[in-house]
Amino acid sequence: MTILWAEDNMEQLETIRSCVKELAPEATLYVTNNGSELINTLLDLEFMGARPDMIILDLNMPVVDGRNTLATVKADERFKHIPSAIFTSSTAPMDRMFSRFYKTPLFLKSSEKEKCLDGVKRLLEWYWTQKGKKQIC
């Protein structure tokens, strides 16, 4: 499984990496710091004939935020079918409405290891449900 993940908080990113490694050790994780980098990485992967299995976005990032990034991905015929999810600390009602509008699940993140493990586990279970496969966690 290849995951393309946009996260600008380095502390949270290290916790996320640890959680993904623990729950899905076979996963390849490409990490970007903002939406612009994610789109560029997505285009680079496509140029190399590859495509991530899943895209994960933080909402509040510099340069290009997760909202604009998701809108760009979903508007592109090449990428709109890649399962995408939001992994954020935001509990704002507008962000929940945004995720519903794009039919993209929203998972809450935390810097606390146990809470992060729970969030990443639910995210991976959602992914495997989308793929019709057994969960890996």
Side-chain angles (χ1 to χ4, degrees):
M1 170 187 348
T2 302
I3 304 170
L4 180 53
W5 201 308
E7 172 60 60
D8 66 314
N9 182 307
M10 291 302 115
E11 180 183 328
Q12 288 182 335
L13 180 57
E14 288 311 310
T15 303
I16 288 166
R17 280 185 200 269
S18 173
C19 292
V20 170
K21 187 174 185 172
E22 184 174 328
L23 295 169
E26 78 289 350
T28 300
L29 186 62
Y30 289 93
V31 177
T32 63
N33 294 312
N34 59 62
S36 178
E37 288 180 12
L38 183 134
I39 296 297
N40 287 335
T41 302
L42 192 55
L43 293 169
D44 288 347
L45 288 170
E46 182 193 34
F47 180 76
M48 294 184 296
R51 179 166 290 177
D53 296 302
M54 180 171 36
I55 296 172
I56 312 299
L57 299 164
D58 183 17
L59 288 179
N60 300 311
M61 298 180 289
V63 185
V64 178
D65 68 13
R67 294 165 198 82
N68 287 317
T69 305
L70 183 61
T72 300
V73 168
K74 294 298 184 182
D76 192 313
E77 287 295 321
R78 298 169 294 178
F79 308 126
K80 71 180 187 180
H81 299 294
I82 299 172
S84 301
I86 297 167
F87 201 67
T88 185
S89 56
S90 174
T91 58
M94 289 300 290
D95 290 335
R96 293 203 179 275
M97 287 175 55
F98 175 82
S99 75
R100 282 188 217 110
F101 177 81
Y102 279 100
K103 297 180 175 95
T104 302
L106 184 146
F107 298 92
L108 291 177
K109 69 179 176 179
S110 172
S111 293
E112 293 178 39
K113 177 74 183 250
E114 289 306 312
K115 288 182 181 178
C116 184
L117 270 170
D118 182 58
V120 171
K121 181 179 179 181
R122 289 185 298 114
L123 192 148
L124 292 171
E125 287 172 343
W126 165 81
Y127 170 76
W128 288 111
T129 300
Q130 297 298 304
K131 292 296 180 184
K133 298 179 181 178
K134 292 183 179 181
Q135 68 186 40
I136 59 173
C137 314

